[in-house]
Amino acid sequence: MKQEELQEIASQLKHPKGEKGIEMANMMNETNINMTRHSIQNLNISNENKILELGHGNAGHLEFLFEQAGNLKYYGLEMSELMFQEARRINRNFVSQKQAFFSLYDGNTIPFEDESFNKIFTVNTIYFWQDPQKLLSEIYRVLKPNGNFCLTFAEESFMKILPFTQFEFELYSTQKAQQLMEKTAFKIIYNETHTEKVKSKTGELVDRAFTTFVLEK
Ligand SMILES: C[S@@+](CC[C@H](N)C(=O)[O-])C[C@H]1O[C@@H](n2cnc3c(N)ncnc32)[C@H](O)[C@@H]1O
């Protein structure tokens, strides 16, 4: 594949847009669903929780999230206008029932008041954060005391073999993510790494290692 094509894949993953962006979002939701479910399950969601997700893509996973407990409210934040629209379209029933709320933001400042959420999670977005420490302090700010934050990402050891990650991506190993978390006020509860089979761009199955950090305020 040419360098420009690889750069285009990286840009779409960072900020889906146009016709290709919709396709890319469908593919991401499908390929990453196991990681997303894993992040949601580690949140320990209970009835009435208010949950925030950063970078939901097309948010094809909300049915699964709402099955976790009763009377939940979900808030999704995106930087991509296309993902904001797609997520609203796919989840129009949850939106009209006022169970799901979607907004755009700048990727740095979370547009909610202090201590707004019981749970916060994000999957496959840390690679694109402009200022990780600043965003983590924002996540901490909007989380309620004793609330949980789950951060899920694919391990650097796997990601670095994908040719498009040389563009746009900042890759993380467990150790590098841990060092970043230690600079924040969060308490690290645990982290776990799993390996799963995923289809590569060329169609064969490859092993992907991914990690979830569970943090507490
Ligand atoms: C690789 S996709 C992952 C989507 C989905 N979470 C998944 O795992 O399939 C990254 C998504 O995060 C969004 N994004 C990038 N930087 C972000 C940031 N700082 N905060 C929130 N979302 C961000 C992009 O617009 C894109 O939809």
Side-chain angles (χ1 to χ4, degrees):
M1 228 183 238
K2 291 197 200 116
Q3 293 293 298
E4 304 89 83
E5 290 169 323
L6 295 172
Q7 166 78 67
E8 171 62 15
I9 294 174
S11 301
Q12 282 290 353
L13 292 168
K14 179 180 184 180
H15 194 118
K17 48 187 168 303
E19 274 295 296
K20 276 222 179 101
I22 295 182
E23 261 173 56
M24 191 59 100
N26 290 337
M27 184 279 286
M28 281 195 285
N29 189 262
E30 212 175 295
T31 337
N32 299 333
I33 194 67
N34 189 39
M35 291 177 75
T36 304
R37 289 184 171 188
H38 197 264
S39 207
I40 292 171
Q41 280 165 334
N42 278 282
L43 282 173
N44 247 322
I45 294 173
S46 43
N47 291 346
E48 321 274 329
N49 277 179
K50 259 177 96 174
I51 303 162
L52 174 68
E53 180 177 11
L54 306 182
H56 45 69
N58 72 11
H61 48 275
L62 290 207
E63 231 167 81
F64 178 80
L65 182 135
F66 284 118
E67 283 165 15
Q68 305 302 307
N71 281 327
L72 302 176
K73 297 253 187 257
Y74 168 94
Y75 293 77
L77 281 180
E78 256 293 341
M79 293 180 72
S80 153
E81 166 83 31
L82 180 70
M83 290 303 97
F84 165 71
Q85 300 292 358
E86 270 293 277
R88 281 175 55 88
R89 186 183 67 76
I90 291 174
N91 296 289
R92 54 193 172 280
N93 291 342
F94 293 130
V95 171
S96 65
Q97 286 157 16
K98 300 207 179 318
Q99 287 178 274
F101 305 84
F102 293 99
S103 323
L104 282 164
Y105 85 128
D106 66 2
N108 293 311
T109 306
I110 298 184
F112 291 106
E113 309 222 315
D114 297 1
E115 303 185 3
S116 294
F117 299 97
N118 305 96
K119 314 280 174 182
I120 304 181
F121 72 108
T122 191
V123 182
N124 285 314
T125 69
I126 191 174
Y127 332 115
F128 310 119
W129 294 359
Q130 287 157 10
D131 185 342
Q133 260 177 270
K134 156 93 173 111
L135 190 55
L136 285 166
S137 72
E138 277 292 280
I139 293 169
Y140 190 87
R141 179 182 67 74
V142 299
L143 196 57
K144 289 182 193 280
N146 302 116
N148 292 115
F149 167 50
C150 277
L151 170 78
T152 300
F153 58 94
E155 283 284 332
E156 178 174 27
S157 54
F158 168 79
M159 294 295 276
K160 71 180 183 202
I161 60 178
L162 305 174
F164 52 81
T165 58
Q166 64 187 291
F167 306 101
E168 314 282 1
F169 284 71
E170 172 74 31
L171 301 181
Y172 284 83
S173 59
T174 297
Q175 196 191 12
K176 181 168 156 187
Q178 169 121 11
Q179 279 164 0
L180 176 62
M181 300 307 145
E182 281 167 358
K183 290 188 198 146
T184 70
F186 278 111
K187 208 184 312 164
I188 302 176
I189 307 296
Y190 62 90
N191 68 72
E192 46 180 53
T193 300
H194 290 265
T195 303
E196 60 175 351
K197 295 259 183 235
V198 285
K199 224 187 230 172
S200 74
K201 285 255 172 313
T202 46
E204 76 266 25
L205 289 177
V206 288
D207 286 326
R208 169 167 69 181
F210 71 86
T211 296
T212 294
F213 271 84
V214 181
L215 306 147
E216 189 181 290
K217 178 163 176 175

